[in-house]
Amino acid sequence: MIQFERFELENGLKVIVHEDNSTPMVAVNVLYDVGARDESPDKTGFAHLFEHLMFGGSLNVPNFDMPIQLAGGENNAFTNNDITNFYDTLPAENIETAFWLESDRMMSLNFSKKSLETQRKVVLEEFKETCLNQPYGDAWHHIADVAYRKHPYRWPTIGKTPQHVENATLEDVKHFFYKYYCPNNAILTVAGNVNIAQVKTLSEKWFGPIPAGVTPKRKLPREPIQRKFQQRTQKAKVPIDALYLAFHIGGRKDEDYYVTDLISDVLSNGGSSRLYRKLLKDQQLFSSIDAYITGNIDPGLLIIEGKPAEGVTLEVAEKAIWKELRLLRNQLVPEKELLKYKHKIESALTFSEVSILNKAINLAFYELLGDANLANLEGQKYSAVTSEDIHRVARKIFTKSNCSKIFYQAEE
Amino acid sequence: MQVDRTIAPPIHLISKIELPTPERIVLSNGIPVYISNMGTQEVMKLQIAIKAGRPYEDTQMAARATGRMLREGTKRLNSAEIAEAFDFYGASLSLPTSLDYSSLVYYSMTKHFPKLISLVTELLTQPVFPEKELTTFKENSKRRLQIDLTKNDVVAYRKITELIFGDAHPYGYNSTAEKYDRIQRKDLVQHFQKNFHANHCVIFLSGKINESILQLIDQHLGQIPAGIVQTPFFPTPNTAPPQKSQFFLPNSLQKAIRIGKRSMTRNHPDYIGFMVVNTILGGYFGSRLMMNIREDKGYTYNIYSLQDTMQQDACFYISTEVGNEFLKPTLKEIYLELDRLQTDLVPTEELEMVKNYLLGNMLNMVDGPFKVTNVVKTFVLENRPFEGFQQMVDLIRSISAQEIRDLAQKYLKAADMWEVVV
C-alpha cells in the first residue's frame, strides 16, 4: 500500500507526494503526457530525441546534469510509446536542487543548435547500438509494422528510420516543446524522506510561476480490428532463426488487461510456465522462448517470441506454440496453476514497493491513467481473475485472424 | 512569490553516511550468517555464496555448469517439480556464478520462506545433475553463445579480458562451443563434491527477518556437511607487453573499443583513490569521457570506464561502441583524456562535484535492506572490516587534486594499456 497525497497547482500541474521516512533519499519524477504515439508518421522518433534535448540546458541552467551530481544525486529519463518520463534521485536534504532544475527546463528550454546537432548524432548511435547493429535488433520494427495499420504504435519509439531523426529541425523542437511540455500536461511525483508541507511550498515556489499551456488534444486513429492473418518472412544476418507471433489485445484501461497479463504469465513467467517447461525443457523444440504483453495505454499486443533448437524448423516450432494456445482455448487453467501466478504477482507488487523511485514512477503513471490510487488496487484486480476469464479472453485473442507472424530467417 | 532562478539552491553536505552493521551468527556447522534485518515491506532475500568459482575448477566451465544445474534435479525431485515449488509461492531463485563464487539467491515474501527452506537446502546438498538436463543446458548455452559472438561488445569484452589475464587464467578464459561440448556430468559431480560444503559457504540474509526464520536456517542450512577447504588456482597472469589489436566483424555499423589493463583488488591501499580517478575519467554521467565523446562530439551513445574487481586480481577498462567513421577520432580523444588526468590538476569545481556525487552514491548504497546486504557481502567476501566503509567516505572527502594526478600517473599510462577494436 502506497500512502500518498495529491494536489494541483493553478497552472494545472498535478503533484503527488509519498512520504517514506525509512530512506535518506528522495525521488523526484516528472511525467509528460507525450510519447511516440503523438508523433506524425513522417517525423517518428521525435519524442525520444526530444527527451535527449531536455538535458541540453535551460534558461538559467546551462547543464542539467552537473548540479544534480553536485547535489549528490543522479538522474535519467525514458520514453516509450505513451509517455516521456524524467527522474532524479538525490539525498533528501538536497531536494530543492531537483525542483530548480526540473522547473527551469519545463519553463524555458534552451533551443540550442549545438545540443540538437550533438544529440542527433548520439541518438543515431543509439539507433545502431540497440537496433541496426544488434542481431534481431529490428524485430520490433517488423512486428509493429505488420501488426498495426493505422495506429501510431506502428513505429517503435526509437523511430521508424534513422532518416527521420536526421531530418529533425530546430523548428520541430520548438513546436514540440510548446505543445507538450507545459505544466498542465505533466505529473510531478515526489517519494521519499519528505513531508507534504515541504513539497507544497517547493512546488508553488518553483513550478507555480510557469504559465499553463493549451492542453494538447489527442486524436489518434483507432486501429481497425484485424480480420486476416498477417505474416512476413525476413531474411537477416543472424546466426539462428527466430519467430514472433503478435496478437492484438485490449488497452491498459481495458478490464481484461489483468486477464491478458495473467495469460502471458501462464505461458512464460518462470521455470514452471507452460511454454518454457513443455516446449523448451520437455520437447526441446526451442532454445529460448518468451511471452509478454506490451502494456501500452491504447490497445496493445501479446507477443510470443522464440528461437528454435538446433535442427528444428520454424514451421515445427510455430505449430508447437499453436498447440499450447489451443489448449488455453479449449481447457480451463486449473485453479492451482492460476493461484501460482497470483502469488507471483503479490510478490512482485510487494517487492516493487521497496524502491522509492519505483513508487514515484508508478504513482505518476497511474495518475495518468486516471487515479494514482490504482497503484494500490492492482493486487485486487489480479486476484479477481478467474479461470473462466482466462478461458474467455484466450478464446478471443488466440485466433489465426488476430495474429501477425514474423519469421526471421538466418541468411546462409 | 518571486523566485530568482539564476541562483541555484544551496547544496547541503550529507551529514551522515553509515553502513548499518549486520548481526552475525554462526550455524551449527560453522557457516557464518550476516543479517541485515531492516526495511518496510514483508519481503526477504537469502544469498548463499559458495567458494566454487573458476579458480576452483578442474575443468573449464565446470563452475558455471554446476551452479546452473543445481535446480535441475535432486534425489527426490525433478527439474519441473523444483521449478513448480518456487513458482507456486511466488519466490524467485537464481543461481548466478561470478568469477570467484557460485551463489544461490532467493527472494520471496517473508511469510513463504518456511515452506521453501528445506528445498533450498536440498538443492545445495542433494543435486543429481541429470544427463538429459545437462544436454539441454549445453545446447541452449551454445545457441546463445552463437548469437553473442555476432555482437561487437561481447567479442571485445572477451578479447580484452583474455589478453589481460591470458587464456589459461580463470579470469581470462572464454566459453566456447567446444568447451561446452567437452563438459561431462562427472565434471559437475566432482566440482560439486569438492566445493559445495559448509566450509566454503557464507550466508547473507536481509529484509524482514524474524527469530523463527533464523531457527529454520540453522535447522536446515546448518545441516550442510563440512568439507575440505580447497586451494584456488591462480597462475601468473599474462606478462606480455600490451598490444593493440583489431578483430573486425563483417557488416558491422559500429566498432566496439576496449582499452584496459590489470588493476588492483579492493585490499590495495590505492583502491579508493583510484576509484575516484576512475569516476572522474568514466565512472558517471558527468565523467570526462562522457562529456567529451558523447555530450560534445556525439560519437557514441555510451562510454564508460570501470574497475572490475575480483577476489585475487582486477582489471580496469574503458568501453564504448562508436559509429565506424568515429573510430579514429574517438581513440584520439580517449588517449587525450588519459593524458589530461596525468598532466593537469582536476579543477576545484569538478573535484567537488565528483566527491558529492560519490558520497550521494554511497548514501544510496546503504538505502534499504537489499542494497545494504550487497555492501555487507562485498566486505565479508573480501575479508575487510566494516569500518572500511567509513574509511571510504573519509578518503573521498579528503582526497586532493595532487593525489588524483599522482594516481593517474601511476595507473593510467597509455603504454600500459591493451587496446582492442572489434
Side-chain angles (χ1 to χ4, degrees), chain A residues 311-372:
Chain A
V312 177
T313 64
L314 283 168
E315 289 73 19
V316 169
E318 184 197 355
K319 228 182 198 164
I321 294 175
W322 279 104
K323 196 175 158 203
E324 285 307 316
L325 301 183
R326 267 198 304 279
L327 203 61
L328 277 175
R329 287 178 53 90
N330 296 337
Q331 286 179 24
L332 287 178
V333 170
E335 215 46 58
K336 191 177 172 210
E337 190 177 353
L338 189 54
L339 184 60
K340 168 170 71 180
Y341 294 105
K342 291 182 179 176
H343 283 158
K344 274 183 164 273
I345 281 165
E346 182 194 15
S347 179
L349 289 172
T350 316
F351 272 97
S352 78
E353 292 181 16
V354 171
S355 145
I356 48 166
L357 179 60
N358 258 343
K359 288 189 278 191
I361 295 174
N362 278 344
L363 287 170
F365 183 68
Y366 287 106
E367 182 66 15
L368 178 71
L369 288 181
D371 179 3

Side-chain angles (χ1 to χ4, degrees), chain A residues 23 69-70 93-94 100 103 114 119 121 125 133 206 237 272 277 281 284 308 340 343 346-347, chain B residues 5 12 72 79 84 87-88 90 111 132-133 143 152 251 253-254 286 295-297 323 356 367:
Chain A
T23 165
Q69 290 158 175
L70 190 64
E93 47 266 69
N94 287 331
W100 173 54
S103 66
K114 157 86 180 156
Q119 292 307 317
K121 284 164 83 180
E125 292 304 323
N133 205 41
W206 292 103
K237 290 194 177 10
S272 70
R277 187 47 56 182
K281 285 290 216 168
Q284 298 178 19
K340 168 170 71 180
H343 283 158
E346 182 194 15
S347 179
Chain B
R5 289 176 183 275
H12 305 278
E72 302 299 348
S79 161
E84 178 66 31
D87 279 351
F88 184 75
K111 66 183 177 186
K132 183 187 170 219
E133 299 292 348
R143 298 284 271 182
N152 308 55
N251 308 306
L253 302 173
Q254 288 186 312
E295 290 297 286
D296 185 53
K297 312 281 192 318
N356 287 0
D367 179 21

Side-chain angles (χ1 to χ4, degrees), chain B residues 7-300:
Chain B
I7 302 169
I11 303 286
H12 305 278
L13 291 180
I14 306 162
S15 44
K16 202 180 89 182
I17 309 174
E18 273 171 19
L19 174 65
T21 311
E23 186 192 342
R24 183 182 188 272
I25 60 168
V26 178
L27 303 186
S28 318
N29 53 0
I31 300 180
V33 184
Y34 294 85
I35 306 151
S36 302
N37 182 14
M38 54 193 290
T40 53
Q41 305 302 113
E42 295 292 329
V43 293
M44 60 170 286
K45 175 184 183 184
L46 162 70
Q47 174 157 14
I48 305 165
I50 305 132
K51 276 186 196 160
R54 287 179 168 196
Y56 298 89
E57 286 176 335
D58 293 321
T59 315
Q60 288 190 352
M61 310 298 299
R64 185 185 298 173
T66 306
R68 297 285 161 83
M69 289 285 296
L70 291 175
R71 68 191 314 157
E72 302 299 348
T74 65
K75 287 182 182 155
R76 195 172 60 93
L77 299 172
N78 66 27
S79 161
E81 289 162 333
I82 293 166
E84 178 66 31
F86 286 108
D87 279 351
F88 184 75
Y89 292 106
S92 114
L93 176 82
S94 59
L95 298 159
T97 37
S98 68
L99 290 173
D100 293 300
Y101 285 89
S102 234
S103 289
L104 182 150
V105 182
Y106 166 98
Y107 285 98
S108 79
M109 309 269 299
T110 301
K111 66 183 177 186
H112 293 315
F113 183 72
K115 291 156 223 151
L116 291 166
I117 176 60
S118 76
L119 183 54
V120 167
T121 312
E122 196 175 325
L123 299 190
L124 288 173
T125 51
Q126 315 275 321
V128 292
F129 308 108
E131 286 284 3
K132 183 187 170 219
E133 299 292 348
L134 180 59
T135 307
T136 308
F137 165 78
K138 285 159 69 168
E139 288 308 311
N140 292 347
S141 301
K142 283 183 336 195
R143 298 284 271 182
R144 203 170 309 121
L145 179 63
Q146 214 181 332
I147 296 169
D148 277 346
L149 291 178
T150 67
K151 300 178 182 172
N152 308 55
D153 57 331
V154 174
V155 176
Y157 173 78
R158 287 166 60 98
K159 292 283 179 198
I160 192 132
T161 45
E162 187 178 276
L163 286 167
I164 289 173
F165 293 108
D167 62 5
H169 193 282
Y171 297 157
Y173 83 76
N174 284 305
S175 60
T176 61
E178 294 70 38
K179 285 178 193 170
Y180 278 119
D181 281 336
R182 226 176 290 143
I183 198 110
Q184 302 292 318
R185 181 176 177 275
K186 66 174 172 40
D187 301 320
L188 276 60
V189 171
Q190 185 180 324
H191 187 75
F192 177 79
Q193 285 172 348
K194 274 170 80 170
N195 300 299
F196 284 68
H197 54 68
N199 303 71
H200 269 198
C201 289
V202 187
I203 296 175
F204 302 92
L205 260 180
S206 53
K208 279 280 173 77
I209 306 298
N210 55 46
E211 200 46 48
S212 74
I213 284 180
L214 296 182
Q215 280 168 14
L216 282 170
I217 292 215
D218 191 39
Q219 258 172 46
H220 290 90
L221 295 171
Q223 301 303 310
I224 294 177
I228 300 165
V229 176
Q230 303 291 314
T231 313
F233 167 67
F234 287 107
T236 317
N238 195 2
T239 47
Q243 290 163 12
K244 297 182 190 223
S245 39
Q246 301 195 325
F247 311 84
F248 289 159
L249 297 180
N251 308 306
S252 187
L253 302 173
Q254 288 186 312
K255 298 279 181 271
I257 301 171
R258 297 289 182 280
I259 293 174
K261 57 180 287 227
R262 264 182 89 191
S263 184
M264 67 203 81
T265 62
R266 288 196 176 86
N267 293 304
H268 192 284
D270 285 340
Y271 175 78
I272 303 167
F274 186 65
M275 183 190 82
V276 179
V277 176
N278 175 60
T279 307
I280 297 169
L281 177 70
Y284 72 129
F285 192 86
S287 72
R288 292 180 170 195
L289 290 173
M290 198 70 165
M291 285 299 112
N292 178 355
I293 293 165
R294 174 181 142 137
E295 290 297 286
D296 185 53
K297 312 281 192 318
Y299 295 158
T300 183

